[in-house]
Amino acid sequence: MDTEERPKNFIRTFIDEDLASGRYKGVATRFPPEPNGYLHIGHAKSICLNFGLARDYGGHTNLRFDDTNPAKEDVEYVDSIQEDVRWLGFSWDDRLYYASDYFERLYECAERLILSGDAFVCDLSPEEMRAYRGTLTEPGKDSPYRGRSAQESLDLFRRMRAGEFPEGSRSLRARIDMASPNINMRDPAVYRIKKAEHHRTGSKWVIYPMYDYAHCVSDAIEGITHSICTLEFEDHRPLYDWFLEKLAWPQPRPRQIEFARLNLEYTMMSKRRLLQLVKDGRVEGWDDPRLPTVAAIRRRGFTPSSIRLFCERIGVAKKDSWIEIDWLEKAARDDLNPSVRRVMAVLDPVRAVIENLPEGYEERIPAPYFPDEPERMGSRELILTREIFIEREDFMIEPVKGFLRLSPGREVRLRWAAYLKCVGYETDSAGNVTLLRCELTQEPAGVDAKGKTVRPNIIHWVPAGLSLPATVRLYDRLFKVPRPSGEDLDSELNPESLVVRANARLEPSLTGLSPWDRFQFERLGYFMVDPVSGAGGPAPVFNRIVSLKDGWARGGRGPQAAQARKGR
Ligand code: ATP
Ligand code: MG
């Protein structure tokens, strides 16, 4: 678990007050996903918040599927959601519930609302209901059925349940106030007719409770103390409380608290839009590592602790905002840095022949996996041979200003080895460099025109003949605009969100790899053996989790800059 200090936030303040006043004796929260899609990192925030609060207050968290809308729900999602919550490191123990567990209870409560005069059966069509609802500036109009007697409504409601009426012909509505400034209070629907197969209750029900009704009653049934939801439900809170009040639910009733949902730049959180990306083949499935789904994040190589760290750091707010993606990347680096071995891989190799080494030369060079603490992670041997591969972009025929890597007549330092000087190169007919002719030199670097010592950069390398093949997938942001609308995917999607390096070469020590193995490839970033493609084929497939430095935020907008500004 992360060890960062947990910041006080307004939710914790509320809970402290509620415990101090004796309103509740403990803390019970719930995570209530609708099984209509895969969880994304916004849900992860909600999971970390709900389970984290319960953990810190010695309470518990229920996992409750909000399965009140049979048309869009699926067991595939039920399974993936459980896997994702577990992966994030949280447990609901034996408290796995479904709103559909409460259908009978919810139905009985609805009859009580009818009998107390707080609900009535309305025969307006959905379109008419909308027209009667009014607007933000105009009050609504009473339904002509609002005055129906409780007995008549009860009879109709029972016949709705029995399937006597077609979909959309009738609904059960709360009798509140059509002139309320809060539109949610204008006689909202409580039940609607829907003749759809439900993934758990089959065809038993043809009427289904609305979210606002089902949610508060489910919370109350489970003895939830703090029902934490996103900001758009703030205006629904009066309704949440109204239902429990009218049902004379015994105290203590659950308290709804809203927080700002996570919006993460360069991606999007809408389940509907994510589904669209998957369906249209814009990505390769729900676990495509470019997506913000938990399944994708896991497959890409993020650790659960890095996601928890990210959620902890971004905190909770009462106002909607966008979080820069650097926060996620920084959390990943901070989490991986102390635990991941550094090795060398060349993603886009070009061959360099070291002409002053004899054929068959093999020099074994011990190199620690973690230079800062060599004892902790041990070391392996590198093998320097006459032919090596270096990164194509580490060589320039005509170096531009500021390029301190290899070019004709210049030197670089080979990581863990000596200096390499380029004495010539060969190209194909198209001008692509095919071979570098080099020499090893123990000499220090040269001096520039002004007589200043030029310290060559250090580059990574692998021995050509002994290196191992690999495919490396470089993932980048899914969208090229920070706050995509999702309206115009062709112009908003980043065409370079996936670049595949099919001819990458790994240092010889990287044999016997397993899926989920993580490494830092020096200078390149953090990588993980893809759990789907695996390590078994002729060449292992690696996913880049995150690059080493945030190339975008140098302007000072990212978390590092923010922390620097705070003087930390
Ligand atoms: P839907 O439109 O299908 O309701 P949803 O994203 O609200 O989509 P739910 O399955 O209802 O999905 O969400 C489960 C829980 O996750 C809810 O409590 C919701 O508030 C929370 N949640 C959803 N999206 C985010 C987000 N971006 N940030 C934080 N919490 C979120
Ligand atoms: Mg929802």
Side-chain angles (χ1 to χ4, degrees):
M1 277 285 182
D2 41 275
T3 52
E4 297 222 334
E5 194 189 326
R6 272 169 240 295
K8 206 78 195 154
N9 60 48
F10 70 95
I11 300 181
R12 287 171 189 269
T13 305
F14 284 166
I15 294 177
D16 289 343
E17 285 166 8
D18 290 341
L19 293 174
S21 72
R23 178 169 175 180
Y24 307 113
K25 294 197 169 41
V27 171
T29 59
R30 85 288 170 262
F31 175 63
E34 188 179 347
N36 63 352
Y38 278 69
L39 296 185
H40 53 58
I41 186 144
H43 295 112
K45 175 177 176 178
S46 173
I47 292 167
C48 290
L49 182 59
N50 279 295
F51 282 89
L53 286 169
R55 174 198 60 212
D56 296 346
Y57 284 93
H60 63 261
T61 304
N62 298 350
L63 176 61
R64 184 200 316 141
F65 286 103
D66 165 28
D67 56 348
T68 50
N69 186 4
K72 291 190 289 172
E73 294 159 5
D74 204 303
V75 276
E76 179 194 349
Y77 302 133
V78 169
D79 295 340
S80 76
I81 288 169
Q82 295 184 54
E83 186 185 353
D84 291 350
V85 177
R86 269 193 225 105
W87 178 75
L88 280 167
F90 298 108
S91 168
W92 55 89
D93 299 322
D94 55 352
R95 294 178 309 277
L96 172 62
Y97 302 119
Y98 293 83
S100 57
D101 293 340
Y102 313 133
F103 278 173
E104 199 62 53
R105 256 323 255 291
L106 288 160
Y107 176 83
E108 286 163 16
C109 287
E111 286 205 347
R112 275 169 44 207
L113 290 176
I114 295 171
L115 288 171
S116 61
D118 294 308
F120 64 99
V121 170
C122 179
D123 301 356
L124 293 181
S125 68
E127 300 74 50
E128 289 167 324
M129 259 176 80
R130 255 193 299 281
Y132 276 68
R133 194 184 298 145
T135 64
L136 282 174
T137 48
E138 283 167 54
K141 267 195 314 185
D142 281 0
S143 159
Y145 307 97
R146 200 173 198 267
R148 217 167 222 165
S149 72
Q151 272 317 314
E152 191 186 350
S153 279
L154 190 61
D155 172 61
L156 287 170
F157 188 50
R158 289 180 175 166
R159 289 166 62 197
M160 277 169 63
R161 176 179 182 168
E164 285 187 30
F165 310 120
E167 277 186 24
S169 63
R170 289 198 160 89
S171 61
L172 182 71
R173 297 176 68 178
R175 187 187 271 116
I176 309 180
D177 179 8
M178 287 308 289
S180 171
N182 181 345
I183 294 190
N184 297 299
M185 300 299 276
R186 293 184 188 167
D187 293 6
V190 183
Y191 266 88
R192 68 205 156 135
I193 301 171
K194 191 140 201 152
K195 300 193 171 168
E197 266 306 284
H198 185 280
H199 72 107
R200 295 189 78 237
T201 58
S203 53
K204 178 170 181 211
W205 292 91
V206 294
I207 55 172
Y208 288 93
M210 302 303 289
Y211 174 87
D212 280 330
Y213 171 66
H215 203 81
C216 57
V217 178
S218 302
D219 282 346
I221 290 172
E222 291 178 13
I224 299 302
T225 56
H226 297 88
S227 179
I228 295 161
C229 62
T230 42
L231 225 48
E232 67 275 21
F233 290 101
E234 191 168 14
D235 292 345
H236 298 239
R237 189 179 348 124
L239 185 55
Y240 184 104
D241 294 337
W242 185 90
F243 279 123
L244 296 179
E245 177 65 29
K246 293 299 168 187
L247 289 167
W249 206 277
Q251 297 287 359
R253 294 174 196 154
R255 171 176 185 182
Q256 178 180 304
I257 302 173
E258 307 85 18
F259 72 102
R261 67 170 45 236
L262 170 65
N263 295 306
L264 190 59
E265 286 188 345
Y266 296 99
T267 187
M268 54 174 50
M269 299 289 151
S270 153
K271 279 192 217 166
R272 187 170 59 84
R273 297 222 189 265
L274 293 175
L275 180 66
Q276 200 64 42
L277 289 173
V278 173
K279 271 196 179 154
D280 292 355
R282 302 273 190 167
V283 293
E284 288 159 22
W286 282 108
D287 64 349
D288 185 304
R290 288 169 289 184
L291 290 178
T293 58
V294 175
I297 285 170
R298 172 170 59 233
R299 178 173 173 192
R300 177 149 161 180
F302 285 92
T303 55
S305 46
S306 66
I307 303 304
R308 292 195 300 263
L309 181 60
F310 167 72
C311 293
E312 200 77 61
R313 284 181 178 172
I314 58 173
V316 287
K318 259 196 271 199
K319 205 168 150 286
D320 272 318
S321 68
W322 285 77
I323 300 291
E324 289 157 14
I325 202 154
D326 320 355
W327 287 90
L328 179 62
E329 297 176 347
K330 173 86 163 65
R333 290 187 201 106
D334 290 349
D335 180 68
L336 294 169
N337 177 49
S339 60
V340 168
R341 286 175 286 172
R342 280 101 170 104
V343 295
M344 290 199 282
V346 175
L347 304 190
D348 185 12
V350 64
R351 187 178 294 263
V353 181
I354 305 174
E355 296 182 327
N356 60 347
L357 291 181
E359 299 279 350
Y361 181 86
E362 279 192 15
E363 180 186 347
R364 291 174 181 268
I365 307 168
Y369 280 121
F370 195 70
D372 291 351
E373 276 176 89
E375 328 66 53
R376 189 157 61 91
M377 280 188 236
S379 63
R380 82 290 192 193
E381 274 187 344
L382 304 175
I383 307 171
L384 181 67
T385 55
R386 187 169 188 267
E387 297 196 6
I388 61 174
F389 287 126
I390 68 165
E391 208 71 68
R392 184 167 290 278
E393 63 172 35
D394 283 336
F395 175 77
M396 276 186 111
I397 298 175
E398 289 169 28
V400 296
K401 193 165 177 284
F403 184 83
L404 291 179
R405 288 166 278 167
L406 204 59
S407 50
R410 286 223 208 152
E411 292 166 327
V412 284
R413 173 117 205 194
L414 293 179
R415 179 66 159 150
W416 303 113
Y419 291 94
L420 184 77
K421 180 173 186 169
C422 177
V423 295
Y425 63 93
E426 293 171 14
T427 61
D428 61 15
S429 54
N432 300 310
V433 174
T434 52
L435 189 87
L436 301 175
R437 293 192 290 106
C438 300
E439 285 176 3
L440 263 203
T441 157
Q442 302 295 336
E443 295 293 307
V447 288
D448 67 10
K450 292 181 191 141
K452 239 175 78 184
T453 310
V454 179
R455 272 185 216 295
N457 279 14
I458 301 174
I459 66 167
H460 56 277
W461 57 278
V462 295
L466 297 172
S467 63
L468 306 166
T471 295
V472 177
R473 301 194 193 123
L474 302 175
Y475 293 106
D476 199 349
R477 303 164 171 197
L478 182 55
F479 288 90
K480 57 185 178 193
V481 292
R483 300 176 185 192
S485 68
E487 306 284 334
D488 183 5
L489 292 175
D490 288 319
S491 73
E492 289 184 336
L493 281 172
N494 173 10
E496 282 161 22
S497 58
L498 171 59
V499 172
V500 179
R501 299 280 186 223
N503 301 311
R505 307 295 303 188
L506 310 173
E507 64 167 67
S509 75
L510 290 176
T511 55
L513 295 171
S514 306
W516 308 101
D517 282 352
R518 295 184 182 88
F519 297 94
Q520 183 191 111
F521 292 164
E522 290 212 48
R523 298 178 65 220
L524 299 173
Y526 293 96
F527 294 79
M528 187 179 82
V529 178
D530 183 69
V532 178
S533 316
V541 177
F542 280 88
N543 298 328
R544 182 170 68 192
I545 310 166
V546 64
S547 60
L548 282 185
K549 274 271 150 49
D550 175 5
W552 299 277
R554 296 223 179 89
R557 300 196 322 139
Q560 274 151 322
Q563 290 190 357
R565 275 198 297 275
K566 280 190 210 145
R568 271 192 253 162

